[in-house]
Amino acid sequence: DRTAALAHDPALEPRLRAEQARLQEEQRRAAERVDALSARFSGLGFRYADPCRGFDRSKVKGLVAEVISVEDASVTTALEVTAGSRLYQVVVDSEATAKQLLEKGQLKKRVTIIPLNQISARALDARVVSAAERAVGRGNVHSALSLVGYAPELERAMKYVFGSTLVCRSGAFARKVTFDCKDVGARSVTLEGDVFDPQGTLTGGGRPPMAGILHGLSELRAAREALAAADARLAAVDAQLREAAAAAARFEELRGVEELKGAELELLRTRAQDGQHFKLLEQVRELEVSAGELEG
């Protein structure tokens, strides 16, 4: 500790103070963005009371819209149309949890719940997706399921919501894979949100209600991650500042001790010198007395 304190850099603390101020401003801006985005979706979340004492809230995974991530913003409209109202359904671990919530969760509005252990989970066969890619070219068609990110435990729910639909880059590609390719014949949705159904119907026009929600939620998720990162960086600098302040205090303490010891040493030297001088004077007096006696 003494070595570290004596190596104390007096410029370190001011540098850390400046970094702390910069990170506090960064944290403030990140928090403001999170608040602003959260306000846009304040009515979206699933709110409930614990149906029993000690209820494990990890059993409730959340709205489909909240538990997925979408990396490519260009496909969000297609995914919103693909999911439709299922985007706002609630994923839970089991039908027992679903029953508890419906009976004793004091829900303020009607909800549809997806129990992971009961939901029918089907997805397009890989051969169907491959046939679609051969028909219109790889990159022009994707399974909707492949375009969303989610925790492995949610796979059954994700297949239920996104598993039976293809996303195509244009209406021409969608028409071809849905109506013209016998090896495919699957429902497809374009990037603009037009729907081609193998039964022969086409749906399009105005954007669906709450359009842009997935993009907005992706922004909110990114903003929360940025805020968490800013919090972590600020916490690290705060810890460094505490260490620097402790080192500075230790340095001052040791410097005070050394100054005190130096003063004590100087006092001892002075006393030693004074003591030597006194002994010499005594010797001189003795010699003078001896000389006087000899002269007598």
Side-chain angles (χ1 to χ4, degrees), residues 165-266:
T165 302
L166 295 169
V167 173
C168 297
R169 295 216 166 267
S170 73
F173 294 143
R175 179 185 296 275
K176 188 169 185 178
V177 298
T178 299
F179 298 143
D180 301 338
C181 186
K182 294 181 179 180
D183 292 332
V184 181
R187 177 178 184 256
S188 61
V189 179
T190 68
L191 297 183
E192 292 73 29
D194 297 332
V195 181
F196 291 72
D197 191 280
Q199 300 299 319
T201 63
L202 285 75
T203 305
R207 301 187 70 186
M210 289 293 287
I213 187 173
L214 290 182
H215 180 64
L217 288 174
S218 293
E219 287 186 318
L220 177 56
R221 190 176 297 109
R224 284 173 173 163
E225 290 172 355
L227 178 57
D231 287 342
R233 288 193 294 270
L234 182 58
V237 170
D238 287 344
Q240 287 180 288
L241 263 172
R242 288 192 296 271
E243 291 176 2
R250 181 62 176 154
F251 175 77
E252 292 299 326
E253 179 186 350
L254 288 176
R255 186 167 66 174
V257 169
E258 290 192 352
E259 289 176 352
L260 179 60
K261 295 297 183 183
E264 290 177 352
L265 179 60
E266 186 62 29

Side-chain angles (χ1 to χ4, degrees), residues 53 56 106 133-134 175 202 250:
R53 186 185 298 274
D56 182 2
Q106 300 179 27
E133 289 175 341
R134 288 194 300 271
R175 179 185 296 275
L202 285 75
R250 181 62 176 154

Side-chain angles (χ1 to χ4, degrees), residues 35-53:
D35 289 343
L37 288 169
S38 297
R40 286 173 52 188
F41 306 108
S42 59
L44 182 63
F46 176 59
R47 296 172 178 81
Y48 63 93
D50 287 353
C52 62
R53 186 185 298 274

